[in-house]
Amino acid sequence: MRDIVLISDPRVTAVPVKESGERLTDVRGRLRVDGRMADPRGAFSHLREGLLVRLEGAQAHLPSGYRLLVVEGYRPLAAQQRIFEEYSAELRVTFPKMSPEEIHVAASRYVSPVEVAPHTAGAAVDLTLCTEDGDELDMGTPLNATPEQSGGACYTDAPGLSPEARHHRDLLGRALGSAGLVNYPTEWWHWSYGDRYWAMTTGAGSAVYGPTSV
């Protein structure tokens, strides 16, 4: 696998944000949306308009019979903090010899520290592929599988995947990459545009989306 820059890396956290002020838009009615991460306010189905437009472009580049399936977009700050703390607690039990600093870095493989989290900016989307009938395709692991649960197979370039799963990941990656999105390489399902990780990856001088609210 290629070298991976984690989202907790100083090269990411040092990226400035020049907020565009672009609104959050409901994805429902424009792309196929799955409800497994739904919240009472419907925050999960919202994304910045610029990201949503790019996802629509990626959908148009998929072969006939394939559809993007959006699982989660915007995530409130409090929810992001809770998820990070819960996963950090799991890691402390699994790896009791890790220092707090090491736990922080290890946790960022799977969930972003709240101060740089692209989901809280509406700049990231967790998604997968499905058929026209809505049947999810084999991607090698369930969406949101942790590195521990999947034995590292959640990493986008993980070795040992079935030919079918590798084909589907490559298909998803080509469509989203051609639309200007970047992948967080520890999670095949996580793609973003306009956030700090995107800016670091693409060489942009700043992020254009910072924390926001529905």
Side-chain angles (χ1 to χ4, degrees):
M1 291 187 289
R2 65 184 186 277
D3 290 338
I4 292 174
V5 178
L6 295 177
I7 203 164
S8 59
D9 191 288
R11 286 172 285 182
V12 180
T13 59
V15 173
V17 178
K18 295 183 179 179
E19 173 60 55
S20 69
E22 191 176 287
R23 67 190 178 99
L24 287 167
T25 303
D26 199 330
V27 177
R28 291 171 291 190
R30 293 174 63 173
L31 291 173
R32 185 165 291 186
V33 179
D34 178 273
R36 78 190 74 171
M37 299 299 293
D39 60 284
R41 295 181 60 198
F44 82 106
S45 66
H46 286 71
L47 293 171
R48 297 286 188 138
E49 178 68 19
L51 172 53
L52 178 51
V53 168
R54 284 167 174 80
L55 287 174
E56 290 175 320
Q59 175 65 70
H61 281 90
L62 286 172
S64 176
Y66 291 90
R67 305 278 294 184
L68 297 178
L69 181 64
V70 173
V71 175
E72 188 177 19
Y74 174 73
R75 187 183 295 154
L77 284 166
Q80 184 72 31
Q81 185 67 36
R82 174 181 52 79
I83 295 168
F84 188 84
E85 290 175 354
E86 288 175 351
Y87 184 51
S88 295
E90 290 180 19
L91 291 175
R92 281 193 290 272
V93 173
T94 306
F95 305 104
K97 294 184 179 180
M98 276 190 175
S99 68
E101 294 77 17
E102 290 170 328
I103 291 291
H104 184 84
V105 171
S108 73
R109 297 170 305 159
Y110 177 67
V111 58
S112 302
V114 68
E115 61 271 16
V116 291
H119 279 289
T120 67
V125 59
D126 295 339
L127 77 175
T128 187
L129 289 176
C130 67
T131 66
E132 292 284 359
D133 294 329
D135 297 323
E136 288 187 46
L137 297 172
D138 178 13
M139 305 298 287
T141 75
L143 189 148
N144 283 336
T146 68
E148 292 74 37
Q149 291 166 340
S150 67
C154 60
Y155 283 49
T156 306
D157 291 338
L161 299 178
S162 70
E164 183 179 32
R166 173 54 59 199
H167 170 68
H168 292 152
R169 288 194 190 187
D170 290 346
L171 192 64
L172 182 67
R174 284 194 299 271
L176 296 172
S178 68
L181 279 69
V182 301
N183 172 242
Y184 191 47
T186 64
E187 301 175 337
W188 60 259
W189 57 86
H190 178 106
W191 291 78
S192 67
Y193 171 82
D195 64 302
R196 283 171 160 158
Y197 200 84
W198 165 86
M200 185 279 299
T201 302
T202 62
S206 62
V208 295
Y209 303 141
T212 189
S213 59
V214 174

